[in-house]
Amino acid sequence: MRLTDHVRPDAPAPRKRGRTLVGAGLAALATCFLVPALAVGADDDLSNLAERLIQLRGDVEGLNDDIESQQQEHRNRMSSLTQRRAELDAQIQRQELEIKKLEREITEIQAEATGVSAEIATLEPLVKDATKRLEQRIEASLPYQTFERTADLQEVLRKLDADEISAARALNNIWTFFEDELRLSRESEMFRQTIEVEGEEQLADVVRLGMVMLFFKTGDERYGFATRQGSQWNYQVASGSDRSRIEELFAAFEKQVRTGFFVIPNALQGAQ
């Protein structure tokens, strides 16, 4: 035997051509299935993207509708506030005219007092007439300590009739009452007084805005305002947004806040 006929132990094994052909076939088969699969996946992504875009467009349209609705609601509210402010401005102007009228009456009384002779007795009709006019005004104004204010006037007349004070002294007292009425028309304050709410008398916190409007808060957390019907004043309990606004007004007065912009219910609708 020839040496070349022997196989060396460390010689590499010959490659098998059949295994290479099988591998190439499997690769080609995988490529045939993979390309359509990638195409199908791309179609699914585009379909999902289109559905997402449609959904987002619907969301945007919905948000746009909400914005338009809120804008319309805001415009309606501003229109309502403008109307209420116009009503308050008109009432304030009427109150200012009433103050000027009262000032003219005071001037007339002063002029009459200046021309009074030294005879004190002639002042008594003037005092009684001024007292009557002032008492009528108190009864027609806001129900703010009405009993106390009229009682003080009656006390002046009682002392005059009993000769406890002179007519000149009584006239000075009446003049002081007129000045107090003017002061009440210019000031706002928070105090406590007895009111009748739904047929029940109780002590309540009251906020007076000049002599234009009066709001109350009861011990059982009822809020409302005084409204005039004919010649009578009633205390009306508020609810909903009106109650919230009155509650905010009381909170501001409790914090000693007397200036600023407050949204309040129209307590003038029943006034005449």
Side-chain angles (χ1 to χ4, degrees), residues 113-129:
T114 303
V116 172
S117 63
E119 188 177 355
I120 300 301
T122 58
L123 291 176
E124 290 188 6
L126 181 61
V127 172
K128 291 182 179 180
D129 179 65

Side-chain angles (χ1 to χ4, degrees), residues 165-179:
I165 59 175
S166 65
R169 177 67 178 275
L171 188 59
N172 288 335
N173 291 341
I174 298 303
W175 170 251
T176 301
F177 284 123
F178 270 107
E179 290 181 333

